[in-house]
């Protein structure tokens, strides 16, 4: 696999790539191999859900190559990664398949100097590389080899540079020493691998202290965001970068960065201040660098803006924070009814979490204490934890813990526990960073809880307004389905009903109130009740709609309703239908032929109080199926309505008329992505 990955990166002209595996029946891609970029750059995307707005997720889900031609293209189509890596680079994402099975995904990265489009030769290389990698993943799956890494993805070593001869090495050293200013080299991880004596003099440090260190860690005055940001820009865009920084007390230095596949060459010269240079810290920083903190803050913020419910917040927090901070486990907690409620966890056994779920908030445990006080706790070892909480038993196998309050609107609403397998010192800078990250999680959690509460309320309202069960009518088989819109609160105005009138007659109705909100649902309940009331007193189909229409115009709700009402005579196998601007029903005859019933369309309900409605009478012989549906089952942007209705008729023709439930599931499964509510009612008479 390593050789195949290195080959496709090299032969495509890319400078790096990421290889993902899709576990069988999985819903997320897992990063297993990284080439050309350090783990720290790739870490935020170690796990990519198939529903994430990311190029590799789109490529795998849609089984196509996704090309992003540069920074503007990325910002327009994929704002989340563009916010975190606002640099000029291009990428291609493509699925890895074996036969008809998708095994994973591949991301290749090019310099920002790449042409706007992929060349045919590059596409051929990518296609062949994906074929080989897909085959390798298939072979691994057949052998039962573990596809996912036990810890972190593997990193391919950079290509080996040319080894100079002794004479060349001497000449190169002399050449570098003769250049004005100083020079140094960084590896792909940003660590100094070489620095000239003049370079060390300019930065004011000993060469032995610099080699092997990150510049912004070895030199406190370089711990300003734009320094590490320019390093990341050089690494990701593969283009030269420049910046200036003040070496205290008054020496300005200019740095020019020249990247390639093996590292970054840096020229250091005396210079003046650049515009908008951030202030220099007066004391050494502790913990992660400021740029690293901003990097994780920005990525977590962009990710959590897309989290919808509480479980989304749990998953996103675990996916982003654990690899970014080097923690191995996480627990997200809140208060409920005076007790601690565990909303989710990662890296801990479920049995252990069950023991702490629902313990009283008065319990002397870190999660409850931090939630109550709103003040973080940090424990670099179990001894420190035991000192603060003497009754604590060491049962999670971890060695260090950070317990952080989740603050929203100025009050603690929960707590976040991060656990580390090894002893971990939390210097002031890192404590501040962790607290800031937890603040983002707290705000997202507060929004998610509100969303979940609204969604639950909407679901209960919708369930109360729709029939819980349909009545049993002798001689009639029935199947019904309701699917709420994918957007909003999942509540709308679509409705259906079946009414038993007497031993040999019944009525059915289906309708659609304009809108996808609580107002639409409330009006839907009124319409359904009115239709039911008029039907049970024996009104004809046209009269049922006319009376319901007068009620709606009197109420003046500002919303309109389409509706079809059907009267069924089960003794004669005849039906009588009337429509108020609703999509026409379909009849599947016993022989398989499907007919569109041309019911005269009347005005929508709620427009004109004196509107009159026409009727259509027809046979419904035993074995035939009458399909009533709302427009969400056929309407889709850019699709002709007649074509969509014809496609629905084709599905109805092919379905088994003896199994109405299977028929209903088939029709719903082939419906457009539900941007609108869908209601479906299938009726079939028996002999």
């Amino acid at each position: 696999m390593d050789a195949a990955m290195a080959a496709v990166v090299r032969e495509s002209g890319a400078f790096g790539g990421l290889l993902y595996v899709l576990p069988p029946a999985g819903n997320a891609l897992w990063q297993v191999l990284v080439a050309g970029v350090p783990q720290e750059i790739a870490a935020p995307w170690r796990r990519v859900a198939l529903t994430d707005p990311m190029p590799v997720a789109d490529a795998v889900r849609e089984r196509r190559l996704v090309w992003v031609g540069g920074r503007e293209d990325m910002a327009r189509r994929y704002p989340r990664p563009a916010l975190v890596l606002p640099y000029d680079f291009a990428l291609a994402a493509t699925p890895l398949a074996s036969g008809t099975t998708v095994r994973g995904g591949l991301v290749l990265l090019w310099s920002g100097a790449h042409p706007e489009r992929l060349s045919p030769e590059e596409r051929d290389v990518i296609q062949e590389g994906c074929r080989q990698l897909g085959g390798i993943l298939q072979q691994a799956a057949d052998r039962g080899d573990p596809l996912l890494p036990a810890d972190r993805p593997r990193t391919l070593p950079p290509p080996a540079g040319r080894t100079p001869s002794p004479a060349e090495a001497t000449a190169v050293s002399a050449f570098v020493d003769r250049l004005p200013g100083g020079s140094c080299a960084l590896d792909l991880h940003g660590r100094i691998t070489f620095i000239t004596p003049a370079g060390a003099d300019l930065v004011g440090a000993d060469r032995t202290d610099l080699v092997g260190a990150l510049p912004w860690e070895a030199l406190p005055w370089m711990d300003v965001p734009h320094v590490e940001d320019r390093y990341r820009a050089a690494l990701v865009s593969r283009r030269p970068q420049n910046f200036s920084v003040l070496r205290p007390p008054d020496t300005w230095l200019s740095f020019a960065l020249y990247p390639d596949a093996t590292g970054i060459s840096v020229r250091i010269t005396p210079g003046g201040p650049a515009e908008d240079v951030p202030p220099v810290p007066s004391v050494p920083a502790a913990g992660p660098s400021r740029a690293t903190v901003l990097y994780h803050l920005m990525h977590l913020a962009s990710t959590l803006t897309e989290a919808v419910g509480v479980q989304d917040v749990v998953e996103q927090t675990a996916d982003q924070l654990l690899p970014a901070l080097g923690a191995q486990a996480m627990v997200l907690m809140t208060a409920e009814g005076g007790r601690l409620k565990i909303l989710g966890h990662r890296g801990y056994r479920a049995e252990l979490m069950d023991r702490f779920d629902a313990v009283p908030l008065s319990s002397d445990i870190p999660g409850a204490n931090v939630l109550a006080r709103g003040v973080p706790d940090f424990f670099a070892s179990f001894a420190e934890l035991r000192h603060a909480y003497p009754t604590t038993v060491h049962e999670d196998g971890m060695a260090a813990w950070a317990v952080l309050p989740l603050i929203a609107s100025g009050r603690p609403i929960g707590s976040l526990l991060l656990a580390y397998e090894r002893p971990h010192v939390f210097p002031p800078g890192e404590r501040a960073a962790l607290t800031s990250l937890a603040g983002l999680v707290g705000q997202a959690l507060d929004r998610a809880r509100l969303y979940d509460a609204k969604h639950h309320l909407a679901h209960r309202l919708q369930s109360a307004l729709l029939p819980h069960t349909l009545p049993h009518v002798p001689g009639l088989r029935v199947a019904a389905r309701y699917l709420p819109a994918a957007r909003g609160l999942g509540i709308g105005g679509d409705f259906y009903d079946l009414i038993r009138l007497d031993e040999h007659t019944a009525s059915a109705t289906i309708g659609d109130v304009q809108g996808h909100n609580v107002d639409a649902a409330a009006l839907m309940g009124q319409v359904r009740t009115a239709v039911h009331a008029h039907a049970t007193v024996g009104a004809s189909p046209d009269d049922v709609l006319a009376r319901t229409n007068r009620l709606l115009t009197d109420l003046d709700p500002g919303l309109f309703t389409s509706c079809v009402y059907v009267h069924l005579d089960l003794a004669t196998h005849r039906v009588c239908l009337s429509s108020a601007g609703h999509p026409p029903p379909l009849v599947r005859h016993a022989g398989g032929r499907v007919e569109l019933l041309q019911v005269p369309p009347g005005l929508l309900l709620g427009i004109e109080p004196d509107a009159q409605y026409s009727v259509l009478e027809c046979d419904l012989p035993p074995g035939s199926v009458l399909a009533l549906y709302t427009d969400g089952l056929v309407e889709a942007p850019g699709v002709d309505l007649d074509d969509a209705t014809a496609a629905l008729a084709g599905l109805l023709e092919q379905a088994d008329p003896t199994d109405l439930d299977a028929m209903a599931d088939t029709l719903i499964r082939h419906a457009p992505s539900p941007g609108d509510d869908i209601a479906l009612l299938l009726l079939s008479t028996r002999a």
Side-chain angles (χ1 to χ4, degrees):
M1 183 183 293
D2 290 11
M5 179 71 172
V8 71
V9 171
R10 180 181 64 254
E11 294 171 13
S12 66
F15 69 75
L18 311 173
L19 180 65
Y20 288 87
V21 164
L22 178 64
N27 60 0
L29 295 158
W30 292 86
Q31 200 180 99
V32 296
L33 198 58
V34 177
V37 293
Q39 292 273 355
E40 291 73 19
I41 296 289
W45 298 286
R46 285 186 182 170
R47 177 186 179 275
V48 177
L50 291 179
T51 55
D52 281 349
M54 300 288 292
V56 69
D58 286 353
V60 169
R61 191 178 59 255
E62 300 170 11
R63 298 195 175 202
R64 65 181 178 90
L65 186 147
V66 173
W67 169 252
V68 181
R71 177 164 49 190
E72 292 185 5
D73 195 17
M74 179 71 79
R76 183 176 62 255
R77 296 165 56 194
Y78 299 101
R80 182 197 292 181
L83 181 63
V84 180
L85 294 174
Y87 311 125
D88 196 13
F89 67 100
L91 70 80
T94 182
L96 301 178
S98 176
T100 60
T101 304
V102 176
R103 298 290 178 182
L106 174 68
V107 177
L108 295 173
L109 307 169
W110 282 268
S111 158
H114 190 283
E116 186 177 342
R117 300 184 183 278
L118 282 171
S119 69
E121 294 77 16
E122 288 170 329
R123 287 182 176 271
D124 291 343
V125 168
I126 295 171
Q127 184 177 3
E128 175 60 21
C130 289
R131 187 189 65 78
Q132 293 187 14
L133 288 167
I136 292 170
L137 292 177
Q138 176 67 59
Q139 294 169 12
D142 292 342
R143 293 192 302 267
D145 294 346
L147 296 176
L148 301 182
D151 182 17
R152 55 191 297 172
R154 299 194 314 280
T155 300
L156 287 184
R162 185 177 67 86
T163 302
S165 66
E168 286 178 316
T170 301
V172 167
S173 178
F175 167 78
V176 171
D177 288 343
R178 285 192 295 268
L179 291 174
S183 302
C184 73
L186 308 177
D187 64 15
L188 293 179
H189 301 281
R191 298 190 179 277
I192 299 171
T193 58
F194 163 81
I195 187 166
T196 62
D201 288 343
L202 283 170
V203 300
D206 191 276
R207 295 175 66 188
T208 57
D209 295 331
L210 295 173
V211 174
L214 294 169
W216 42 88
E217 290 183 354
L219 304 168
W221 47 272
M222 292 195 76
D223 184 19
V224 289
H226 77 290
V227 171
E228 191 175 348
D229 177 71
R230 290 302 86 199
Y231 152 73
R232 292 183 186 276
L235 196 65
V236 174
S237 71
R238 287 299 199 266
R239 286 184 162 184
Q241 304 291 327
N242 296 275
F243 65 87
S244 296
V245 67
L246 176 65
R247 172 192 158 190
D250 54 8
T251 302
W252 283 96
L253 298 176
S254 295
F255 294 79
L257 282 62
Y258 302 94
D260 72 0
T262 61
I264 300 176
S265 298
V266 182
R267 291 286 294 130
I268 311 169
T269 55
E275 294 182 2
D276 301 324
V277 173
V280 178
S282 58
V283 296
S289 70
R290 296 184 183 191
T292 300
V293 171
L294 292 177
Y295 178 78
H296 294 318
L297 277 169
M298 189 177 296
H299 190 270
L300 184 63
S302 65
T303 301
L304 290 177
T305 57
E306 298 175 7
V308 179
V310 169
Q311 287 309 306
D312 275 352
V313 173
V314 173
E315 294 299 320
Q316 298 284 16
T317 301
D319 290 345
Q320 305 303 327
L321 283 191
L322 293 186
L325 301 176
Q328 283 70 48
M330 180 208 83
V331 184
L332 195 65
M333 298 162 276
T334 189
E336 188 174 281
R339 294 181 176 273
L340 190 70
K341 180 176 178 57
I342 294 180
L343 298 175
H345 58 90
R346 180 79 62 84
Y348 278 123
R349 304 187 318 275
E351 302 90 326
L352 180 60
M353 294 296 97
D354 289 343
R355 296 217 304 273
F356 287 94
D357 195 22
V359 301
L361 288 178
S362 57
S363 301
D364 192 26
I365 57 175
N369 194 20
V370 167
L371 195 157
R373 295 185 296 116
V375 178
D377 273 338
F378 299 93
F379 307 102
S381 65
F382 180 70
E384 292 186 9
L385 178 61
R386 186 67 176 269
H387 178 75
Y389 298 92
T391 61
T392 299
V393 178
H394 195 183
E395 53 186 337
D396 67 352
M398 298 296 174
W401 301 263
V403 192
L404 311 163
L406 304 178
I407 306 296
S409 301
R411 59 184 179 83
I413 63 167
S415 56
L416 172 67
L417 182 143
L418 297 171
Y420 301 76
E421 290 180 346
R422 297 181 179 179
H424 186 94
V425 177
F426 298 95
E430 185 171 0
R431 295 186 180 206
L434 291 175
T435 304
S436 298
L437 291 167
L440 293 177
V441 177
Q443 294 169 20
L445 178 61
D446 198 41
R447 293 192 303 269
R449 291 170 68 186
L450 179 60
Y451 175 88
D452 282 353
K454 289 182 177 179
H455 186 78
H456 179 65
L457 176 62
H459 179 74
R460 290 183 59 190
L461 176 60
Q462 189 85 59
S463 299
L465 294 175
L466 289 171
H468 293 178
T469 59
L470 295 176
H472 171 69
V473 179
L476 188 67
R477 295 185 299 122
V478 183
R481 296 291 185 272
Y482 174 79
L483 189 67
R487 65 178 185 268
L489 292 175
I491 185 170
D494 286 18
F495 65 93
Y496 60 87
D497 205 354
L498 178 67
I499 307 162
R500 179 176 178 176
L501 300 177
D502 59 37
E503 186 177 352
H504 300 293
T505 60
S507 66
T509 185
I510 195 164
D512 182 0
V513 177
Q514 174 189 9
H516 304 89
N517 52 32
V518 174
D519 292 338
L523 183 59
M524 176 265 282
Q526 292 173 314
V527 173
R528 179 172 165 251
T529 301
V531 169
H532 199 288
H534 297 314
T536 55
V537 297
S540 62
D542 54 331
D543 203 21
V544 167
L545 293 186
R547 294 182 184 185
T548 303
N549 175 62
R550 282 194 292 272
L551 171 66
L552 292 192
T553 53
D554 288 343
L555 292 175
D556 191 21
L559 300 174
F560 306 128
T561 304
S562 69
C563 183
V564 164
Y565 179 84
V566 183
H567 182 273
L568 302 104
D569 188 327
L570 303 175
T572 63
H573 300 289
R574 296 277 292 174
V575 295
C576 183
L577 307 93
S578 189
S579 173
H582 198 79
L586 293 169
V587 171
R588 184 193 188 279
H589 295 282
R593 181 176 65 89
V594 177
E595 178 185 359
L596 184 71
L597 295 183
Q598 299 292 348
V599 185
L603 277 177
L604 294 171
L605 304 178
I607 296 179
E608 170 58 50
D610 298 324
Q612 299 296 311
Y613 298 91
S614 302
V615 296
L616 172 71
E617 294 192 45
C618 62
D619 293 328
L620 190 66
S624 55
V625 179
L626 176 65
L628 308 176
Y629 56 93
T630 56
D631 56 9
L633 191 62
V634 289
E635 285 189 350
V639 178
D640 182 79
L641 185 58
D642 291 339
D643 293 341
T645 305
L648 179 65
L651 292 171
L652 198 62
E653 180 179 354
Q654 298 299 321
D656 181 4
T658 64
D659 190 344
L660 292 190
D661 283 316
M663 179 183 284
D665 290 339
T666 298
L667 299 183
I668 290 291
R669 186 165 57 249
H670 288 84
S673 178
D676 195 4
D677 311 316
I678 295 173
L680 173 67
L681 187 61
L682 301 178
L683 307 166
S684 180
T685 58
R686 295 191 178 100

